[in-house]
């Protein structure tokens, strides 16, 4: 038997959110609601559908490996040179490319925890060290855990090569503010690359949560990671991008990409989405308004829900997390549990969220006294 590397054998399998059609069949209901994967509930933008239709007849050919049109559109949008842009097959793949470019055995990654579940896997696959810095209670009265930037800075060692800062943080939805993040970036040693993972940036409504692209300017060891999977509605097409102040960082990330990994269809769709920014902003406004309604409804039910800056909310249920998630699934509602910690609930349509709230009420009513 041919055995894989020990690090690969030890990797946990990624568990995506359950397919709602499968759950509906399993429990014998017409429909299940999926609020697990932070997708937007809107259908693809009309311009995206039109762009896909135009290129689908050319998919017998390879796409532009450099994603030149998309790269140019992103460079223009953010006021950077095209050499400062790297595109990839979603933000997750770009994170893998960063790890391939900058970490190896004897070096390490540092990041907050709990945060995006891919971070420890990046280090494990690379054979690198992994420095996890626990979240600390945020300003929302102890209910919202957020990054300990001082702790992250203290964790930097000679071996540290990359710091990952997820802002807003997945899965808590909390975000670090401008003054703290600026001070942190200015204090990070120049040999350490800071990646601001801003997959949920478009949903930020707090004016004190900074735009990472602006903080990147003038800081050669800072890069910003974003995706078209969330606000832009292209989760099924897998396309993301990285912007770096130092073009050498973007070049290193481009060198580690799998050739032709951003498909022709994905490139066309992303360019069309960028040209439809007003429609995207209108959709995002609907999501954030619904986020506030869902947050208020959960607080009325006694839940310690923090102010989220993403398109999901976080319920810190602790040891009850897995039990509540299973009970919700039995009522045809799929959420994302993090066992022993909390439940992440994607903001859906008002109708979907009402189904979730009704199911949550049933679960609460069925809980034993004192729970």
């Amino acid at each position: 038997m041919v055995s894989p590397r020990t690090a690969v054998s030890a990797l946990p399998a990624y568990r995506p959110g359950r397919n709602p059609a499968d759950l509906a069949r399993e429990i014998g209901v017409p429909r299940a609601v999926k609020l697990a994967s932070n997708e937007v509930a809107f259908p693809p933008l009309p311009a995206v559908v039109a762009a896909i239709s135009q290129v689908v007849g050319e998919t017998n050919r390879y796409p532009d490996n450099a994603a030149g049109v998309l790269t140019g559109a992103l460079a223009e949008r953010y006021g950077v040179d095209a050499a400062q842009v790297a595109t990839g097959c979603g933000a997750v793949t770009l994170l893998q490319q960063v790890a391939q470019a900058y970490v190896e055995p004897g070096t390490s990654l540092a990041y907050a925890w709990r945060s995006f579940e891919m971070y420890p896997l990046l280090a494990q696959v690379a054979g690198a060290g992994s420095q996890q810095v626990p979240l600390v209670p945020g300003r929302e009265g102890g209910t919202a855990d957020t990054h300990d930037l001082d702790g992250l800075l203290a964790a930097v060692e000679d071996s540290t090569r990359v710091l990952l800062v997820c802002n807003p943080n997945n899965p808590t939805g909390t975000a670090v503010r401008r003054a703290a993040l600026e001070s942190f970036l200015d204090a990070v040693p120049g040999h350490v690359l800071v990646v601001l993972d801003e997959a949920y940036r478009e949903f930020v409504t707090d004016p004190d949560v900074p735009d990472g692209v602006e903080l990147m300017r003038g800081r050669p060891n800072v890069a910003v990671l974003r995706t078209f999977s969330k606000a832009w509605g292209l989760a099924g097409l897998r396309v993301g991008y990285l912007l770096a102040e130092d073009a050498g960082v973007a070049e290193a990330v481009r060198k580690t990409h799998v050739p032709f990994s951003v498909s022709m269809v994905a490139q066309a769709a992303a360019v069309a989405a960028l040209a439809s920014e007003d429609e995207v902003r209108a959709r995002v406004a609907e999501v954030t308004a619904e986020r506030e309604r869902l947050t208020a409804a959960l607080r009325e039910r006694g839940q310690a829900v923090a102010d989220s800056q993403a398109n999901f909310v976080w319920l810190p249920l602790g040891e009850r997390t897995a039990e509540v998630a299973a009970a919700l699934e039995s009522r045809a509602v799929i959420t994302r549990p993090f066992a022993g910690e909390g439940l992440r609930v994607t903001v859906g349509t008002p109708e979907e969220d009402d189904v979730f709230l009704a199911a949550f009420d049933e679960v609460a009513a069925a809980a034993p006294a004192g729970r």
Side-chain angles (χ1 to χ4, degrees):
M1 176 180 175
V2 180
S3 299
R5 292 170 49 213
T6 302
V8 173
S9 296
L11 284 175
Y14 180 75
R15 296 181 61 187
R18 288 201 63 183
N19 184 300
D22 290 344
L23 177 62
R25 283 192 298 270
E26 181 182 308
I27 63 178
V29 297
R31 176 176 178 262
V33 171
K34 182 185 177 186
L35 301 175
S37 299
N38 300 341
E39 302 137 323
V40 292
F42 301 100
L45 294 156
V48 166
V49 174
I52 291 173
S53 299
Q54 288 176 5
V55 301
V56 72
E58 303 171 25
T59 52
N60 57 308
R61 304 294 186 185
Y62 286 113
D64 173 12
N65 189 48
V69 176
L70 175 57
T71 297
L74 289 166
E76 181 178 358
R77 184 179 193 272
Y78 291 106
V80 298
D81 190 85
Q84 296 172 257
V85 182
T87 59
C89 183
V92 170
T93 299
L94 282 160
L95 282 168
Q96 291 178 322
Q97 292 173 226
V98 168
Q100 288 178 312
Y102 286 97
V103 299
E104 59 189 340
T107 67
S108 62
L109 283 160
Y111 49 89
W113 197 253
R114 158 84 56 185
S115 193
F116 184 33
E117 57 199 297
M118 275 297 299
Y119 294 163
L121 304 184
L122 296 172
Q124 190 171 342
V125 170
S130 187
Q131 299 161 288
Q132 296 184 353
V133 178
L135 299 172
V136 294
R139 67 182 190 180
E140 290 87 359
T143 65
D145 292 345
T146 192
H147 281 66
D148 178 2
L149 294 179
D150 290 337
L152 271 175
L153 195 59
V156 173
E157 302 171 343
D158 290 342
S159 67
T160 308
R161 291 294 176 269
V162 178
L163 283 171
L164 301 168
V165 180
C166 190
N167 201 43
N169 188 46
N170 177 14
T172 62
T174 53
V176 294
R177 271 64 184 180
R178 183 179 309 278
L181 190 53
E182 286 181 337
S183 296
F184 168 77
L185 294 176
D186 288 340
V188 173
H191 76 276
V192 178
L193 175 66
V194 182
V195 178
L196 301 178
D197 184 348
E198 295 189 333
Y200 300 94
R201 170 63 205 174
E202 291 84 356
F203 301 103
V204 171
T205 54
D206 184 341
D208 199 29
V209 176
D211 182 329
V213 177
E214 296 309 312
L215 297 191
M216 174 193 81
R217 301 187 197 280
R219 294 181 170 95
N221 66 328
V222 176
V224 177
L225 183 67
R226 293 191 180 171
T227 182
F228 284 95
S229 294
K230 309 304 181 186
W232 302 88
L234 302 184
L237 291 177
R238 312 304 300 128
V239 56
Y241 57 98
L242 176 139
L243 307 174
E245 176 68 1
D246 180 357
V249 171
E251 180 183 16
V253 172
R254 287 193 298 269
K255 284 182 176 180
T256 58
H257 93 294
V258 175
F260 309 114
S261 57
V262 183
S263 74
M264 180 185 298
V265 172
Q267 292 182 42
V271 171
L274 284 173
S276 304
E277 187 166 355
D278 288 345
E279 292 175 76
V280 172
R281 288 184 182 276
R283 291 179 170 195
V284 165
E286 289 189 44
V287 173
T288 56
E290 178 61 13
R291 180 184 71 196
E292 302 314 308
R293 186 185 78 91
L294 180 59
T295 298
L298 288 166
R299 287 174 177 169
E300 288 169 3
R301 289 161 169 78
Q303 298 302 307
V305 179
D307 291 334
S308 173
Q309 294 298 311
N311 69 330
F312 54 83
V313 296
W314 173 250
L315 280 72
L317 298 176
E319 294 304 317
R320 294 190 60 223
T321 298
E323 172 192 341
V324 171
L328 288 170
E329 279 202 14
S330 73
R331 292 164 174 81
V333 177
I334 304 167
T335 57
R336 176 57 69 92
F338 295 83
E341 298 177 68
L343 199 67
R344 192 189 70 196
V345 183
T346 304
V347 177
T349 65
E351 295 75 18
E352 289 173 333
D353 291 341
D354 285 342
V355 170
F356 159 71
L357 290 168
F360 190 80
D361 288 341
E362 289 181 11
V363 173
R371 302 255 328 254

